[in-house]
Amino acid sequence: MSIESAHVDPYLFEPVQLGPLTLPNRVVMAPLTRSRAKEADVPSELAIEYYAQRASAGLIIAEATQISPQGKGYVFTPGIYDAAQVQAWQPITAAVHKKGGHLFLQLWHVGRISHPSLQPGHALPVAPSAIKPEGQAYTDEGFVPLVTPRALETAEMAGIVEQYRVAAQNAQAAGFDGVEIHAANGYLLDQFLRDKTNRRTDQYGGSIENRARLLLEVADAVTDVWGGERVGVRISPLSSFGDIADSNPEPLFTHVVKQLNRRKLVYLHVIEGDTGGPREVPGGFDLQVLRQAFDGLFMANNGYDMPLAQSTLKAKRADLIAFGRPFISNPDLVERLRIGAPLNEPDKNTMYGGGAQGYIDYPTLEQEDKR
Ligand code: PHB
């Protein structure tokens, strides 16, 4: 196949400084759950090839990874809480580095989006308040309804922060370049932020300041380990993914971002609109307010294609663009965008679970040329 290089504006392909790292372009691989981990939450060897194939992204954010057995909410997702997991991540980070790439790990605690069958001792999942989410859990027995979680005791909160600290240290030992704190998509930290899921009466509930407390304590613990220049945070202020909502998201997230800014985090990763859905949602606010409140890099995500990415960067509405699904089926996405080449569509049947098929067998342009 030969493709005439269409006129492509340079914005996406300009280098950018991310803390101490010089990224060769502004294309970020978004964290993507692929559900291929082995027994004991150990990442699969196939992930070495999978991430190495995608190393031309300016930055890869590896898939959501549980910080503790309690933080797990789906079968076959990897962990970063023990030595076997650290050891299995090491060749993955090494393979990406060998190809000149950069890799952050996304630190994940699912909170109430879990099921006793996935929890240590088949205990109830934990949450800010005992409020049952709508939806289903993906377990060993397939899809089952989510359950009413157990509200965390105030005395347990320091232990949750500690889980993040240990996971951040483990990510360092595994050779990552930094970490992203997952505070989006209705998982534990988001459950604390928003008033639909947080009805607590202690210092972790009620006012905006109190609901933001856990995330900020986690940010402090993780930046203690890494320094702010290697820590990002992901938020989804307008998303209802995970049966979540807030009665007044603009002041909530403005406070959150101002406080994160004081921790000098390197980037803010914002899912615009509904996760994996519409970019505009009723009752939303202009997320550029958050960009104004943050001195670090602004990473935009949700349904970007080349024209929207270019116009967003040109208008300086973001510094980095995260692409999710296109990276599943286009390991050389950066090159394809650069020359305006067609993109492969991902196969839905192999997105979650399984082995090499639909994981490491999507072709690059070069491989297509040889077929
Ligand atoms: C998922 O496994 O479907 C998933 C994981 C993390 C997210 C969103 C979705 O942030």
Side-chain angles (χ1 to χ4, degrees):
M1 178 172 35
S2 131
I3 288 152
E4 288 302 313
S5 182
H7 173 70
V8 175
D9 286 326
Y11 306 106
L12 256 181
F13 311 102
E14 284 169 349
V16 59
Q17 199 64 28
L18 186 126
L21 307 175
T22 305
L23 310 186
N25 60 65
R26 292 159 188 267
V27 179
V28 175
M29 179 177 167
L32 293 161
T33 291
R34 304 303 311 278
S35 311
R36 281 161 167 88
K38 304 191 297 187
E39 282 287 291
D41 305 352
V42 172
S44 152
E45 289 84 10
L46 294 172
I48 302 170
E49 178 66 18
Y50 169 72
Y51 283 114
Q53 287 174 348
R54 287 155 180 78
S56 59
L59 176 69
I60 296 171
I61 305 165
E63 66 213 79
T65 296
Q66 53 263 15
I67 58 167
S68 63
Q70 183 192 62
K72 179 175 182 170
Y74 304 82
V75 280
F76 309 130
T77 54
I80 187 72
Y81 56 82
D82 73 18
Q85 296 155 5
V86 169
Q87 211 174 20
W89 280 111
Q90 281 165 350
I92 300 171
T93 59
V96 170
H97 289 151
K98 196 167 163 214
K99 291 182 78 179
H102 304 102
L103 186 67
F104 271 39
L105 184 64
Q106 196 193 41
L107 302 180
W108 194 28
H109 190 309
V110 298
R112 68 180 191 155
I113 306 295
S114 186
H115 187 269
S117 68
L118 297 163
Q119 290 287 310
H122 289 187
L124 287 175
V126 297
S129 303
I131 303 170
K132 183 175 122 48
E134 290 298 319
Q136 297 194 310
Y138 177 38
T139 73
D140 283 313
E141 278 89 53
F143 287 97
V144 297
L146 292 164
V147 300
T148 304
R150 175 178 73 78
L152 284 159
E153 306 282 343
T154 308
E156 289 178 278
M157 300 306 294
I160 300 283
V161 176
E162 194 55 24
Q163 291 176 12
Y164 280 93
R165 181 191 304 276
V166 171
Q169 287 165 341
N170 288 344
Q172 239 168 14
F176 285 94
D177 297 294
V179 291
E180 174 173 287
I181 299 168
H182 192 349
N185 293 345
Y187 297 114
L188 183 72
L189 297 175
D190 204 16
Q191 290 159 27
F192 269 85
L193 292 178
R194 309 232 237 160
D195 58 14
K196 179 172 180 177
T197 41
N198 185 343
R199 305 277 173 74
R200 300 176 72 89
T201 54
D202 65 358
Q203 65 268 39
Y204 292 93
S207 65
I208 284 174
E209 288 74 14
N210 281 357
R211 283 182 277 136
R213 189 177 310 280
L214 177 60
L215 170 56
L216 298 176
E217 289 180 354
V218 167
D220 286 339
V222 172
T223 54
D224 270 355
V225 174
W226 278 97
E229 71 274 17
R230 288 179 185 269
V231 177
V233 170
R234 192 181 214 205
I235 56 174
S236 53
L238 302 174
S239 183
S240 59
F241 189 94
D243 189 19
I244 203 143
D246 194 81
S247 57
N248 204 356
E250 181 167 355
L252 168 63
F253 281 94
T254 303
H255 170 77
V256 164
V257 170
K258 281 186 174 158
Q259 293 301 313
L260 290 173
N261 192 50
R262 293 175 57 177
R263 274 89 179 161
K264 305 207 179 321
L265 301 188
V266 70
Y267 71 75
L268 183 69
H269 185 179
V270 179
I271 300 174
E272 297 161 324
D274 225 346
T275 307
R279 295 177 44 80
E280 302 290 336
V281 294
F285 65 97
D286 182 1
L287 296 170
Q288 288 292 306
V289 170
L290 306 180
R291 175 160 169 76
Q292 304 313 324
F294 191 72
D295 296 323
L297 299 175
F298 191 88
M299 184 188 297
N301 173 248
N302 205 15
Y304 275 87
D305 59 11
M306 185 65 178
L308 186 59
Q310 295 289 57
S311 62
T312 300
L313 291 174
K314 185 176 184 183
K316 302 205 182 307
R317 293 171 65 84
D319 305 295
L320 297 158
I321 306 291
F323 293 83
R325 279 166 291 192
F327 260 114
I328 291 179
S329 45
N330 299 279
D332 56 346
L333 182 65
V334 172
E335 180 63 5
R336 287 175 191 258
L337 294 176
R338 201 175 61 75
I339 66 172
L343 302 184
N344 298 314
E345 284 301 315
D347 172 11
K348 288 200 167 53
N349 296 319
T350 51
M351 270 192 194
Y352 301 105
Q357 194 195 345
Y359 192 50
I360 56 171
D361 58 357
Y362 286 107
T364 61
L365 284 169
E366 212 178 314
Q367 290 163 339
E368 283 173 13
D369 276 345
K370 291 196 189 118
R371 284 185 182 174

